[in-house]
Amino acid sequence: MAKPSLKVSAKASAKVRRLAHGADPATPTPKVGFVSLGCPKALVDSERIITKLRSEGYTIARDYSGADVVVVNTCGFLDSAKKESLDAIGEAMNANGRVIVTGCFGVEENRIREAHPGVLAVTGPHQYEQVVEAVHDAVPPLHDPYVDLVPAEGLRLTPRHYAYLKISEGCNNRCSFCIIPSLRGDLASRPSNHVMSEAERLVKAGVKELLVISQDTSAYGLDLKYAESPWKGAPLKARFLDLSRALGELGVWVRMHYVYPYPHVDDVIPLMAEGKILPYLDIPFQHASPAVLKAMRRPAAQEKTAERIRRWREVCPDLAIRSTFIVGFPGETEEDFAFLLDWLKEAGINRAGCFKYEAVEGAKANALEGAVPDEVKEERWHRFMAAQKDVSSAQLESKVGSVIDVLVDEVDEEGAIARSKWDAPEIDGNVFLNGDVQAKPGDMLRVKVAAAGDYDLWAARVAPDA
Ligand code: SF4
């Protein structure tokens, strides 16, 4: 049950890297290998591409050697992510030799071709059709009605019991350190009934937890002027509150990621208090000092967030806030940093990941003065993590003795690894059920918390009505 206790994560570093599988290796159909890097949004893109390919009769290879061609879905958010993408392309080139590159880093085709001249094709983010066409060129599809069949909910790279639900693409904000709007464009929301149809299909297929993602979930529908679309015989607005309410009727865990603390988010908190959606908000604050937030050009930077969170917790006392932060942003002074540490404690941020500022090619922040030396960034990062550990361990200690519901993710010979409603998969903590080898992934269990660590809990099963 050994698990790293220190968790450093953020949307851009919540990496998912795996070769998708699920096909019968014995079938003579064309086989595609798939490597998915980057954030959950990129993962959803991968799922769409794989779903399309499977619907055309391709099977997904279990390893490089069994693949006729390999698609690498890259991340281009940070320079370190770009390096990882180049390494992954290199690995696929060495192991297979027939490689198609897609995803955020695909906008830098020259750089990719310079490093790996032999790649077959390079496409950018959301260019699903171009990726599929590139696969057709490399390995023509086999037309067979029996292998064209895919499950109604599509094919997913996540375990069967949870799924990411992407509600929009792009972003209208222009944070100075970020190049995502230039990679993915302005906000483009999906109609509410499309989102709900997908969510319902996923639930019918056995999903117990929906993780709502986008670049700016609280801005959902702004571009559509909150247009209504028909859902279950009634109009449903493309608006954060209306969508949250509708998702809350599906009877599964609904977790909100990438929300900004705008005033209208207040209206969603009662749904959390009622148990309709999870008492969890992933808000990438990035900093707390007004001067740094202004230089970052962050959305909702002018809101008094610690005060807002305090009021949210009056309505929903067990609300967990997860966030990511950047230390060492250009111009960040020791006072700014001290302000951030105080704010972290005042706001009671339950889960936090921290990045040392990294200049991203093409970002406006590169022109800012006041670069922070690397050793100062390093020192602040350690101080940040220590402060966050104190906040997290105190909050988790307060759960000892309580009875909570958990969702089981994995079971091994030592027991079950589960999550509470305050923990998102891959980025937050776990609840370990030592010795509980009877549980199965996807089980929803009632447990009593026996012990707490800095980031994780240990618990044992109790009767469902306890
Ligand atoms: S909100 Fe800011 S950091 Fe997030 S995608 Fe939009 S521009 Fe980038």
Side-chain angles (χ1 to χ4, degrees), residues 11 41 77 170-181 215-216 260 284 286 296-299:
K11 61 182 170 184
K41 284 153 278 196
F77 186 57
C171 182
N172 284 351
N173 302 311
R174 294 294 181 264
C175 301
S176 59
F177 55 82
C178 178
I179 55 167
I180 283 178
Q215 301 296 343
D216 182 354
Y260 287 98
Q286 310 300 11
M296 287 178 164
R297 299 173 59 188
R298 292 295 288 160

Side-chain angles (χ1 to χ4, degrees), residues 317-318 350 390-404 422 449 451-453 457:
D318 65 347
N350 306 66
D390 290 346
V391 175
S392 171
S393 57
Q395 284 170 338
L396 292 182
E397 190 60 39
S398 71
K399 309 271 185 217
V400 174
S402 61
V403 173
I404 61 173
W422 309 292
V449 180
L457 295 173

Side-chain angles (χ1 to χ4, degrees), residues 304 331 351 386:
K304 292 197 167 36
R351 308 286 193 183

Side-chain angles (χ1 to χ4, degrees), residues 202-281:
L202 289 165
V203 172
K204 279 190 186 146
V207 162
K208 305 270 181 66
E209 178 179 6
L210 292 166
L211 301 119
V212 175
I213 56 167
S214 68
Q215 301 296 343
D216 182 354
T217 295
S218 34
Y220 172 66
L222 189 69
D223 54 309
L224 301 177
K225 299 194 171 50
Y226 309 117
E228 292 174 343
S229 52
W231 176 246
K232 303 277 180 202
L236 177 64
K237 278 192 174 160
R239 204 170 58 143
F240 182 44
L241 174 62
D242 302 64
L243 186 70
S244 301
R245 201 179 278 132
L247 289 169
E249 294 304 316
L250 294 177
V252 295
W253 280 10
V254 177
R255 191 180 295 283
M256 295 294 175
H257 288 277
Y258 315 130
V259 174
Y260 287 98
Y262 293 111
H264 71 272
V265 175
D266 297 358
D267 301 335
V268 173
I269 308 299
L271 295 177
M272 298 181 178
E274 288 165 33
K276 295 286 188 191
I277 61 175
L278 290 178
Y280 180 101
L281 277 176

Side-chain angles (χ1 to χ4, degrees), residues 121-157:
V122 180
T123 69
H126 317 311
Q127 294 188 321
Y128 314 117
E129 280 170 21
Q130 287 89 330
V131 183
V132 171
E133 269 168 31
V135 172
H136 290 171
D137 289 346
V139 201
L142 198 74
H143 291 293
D144 180 337
Y146 294 103
V147 295
D148 285 351
L149 297 173
V150 294
E153 76 278 12
L155 291 155
R156 293 186 285 116
L157 297 176

Side-chain angles (χ1 to χ4, degrees), residues 405-458:
D405 292 324
V406 296
L407 181 59
V408 176
D409 278 335
E410 291 173 55
V411 182
D412 62 23
E413 65 285 353
E414 292 179 54
I417 304 171
R419 283 180 293 110
S420 73
K421 54 191 174 182
W422 309 292
D423 304 307
E426 308 227 8
I427 53 174
D428 293 332
N430 288 110
V431 181
F432 294 106
L433 311 180
N434 287 356
D436 196 335
V437 292
Q438 311 300 327
K440 291 188 294 307
D443 280 354
M444 191 71 80
L445 304 176
R446 183 142 273 222
V447 301
K448 184 165 186 178
V449 180
D454 292 335
Y455 303 99
D456 301 305
L457 295 173
W458 280 261

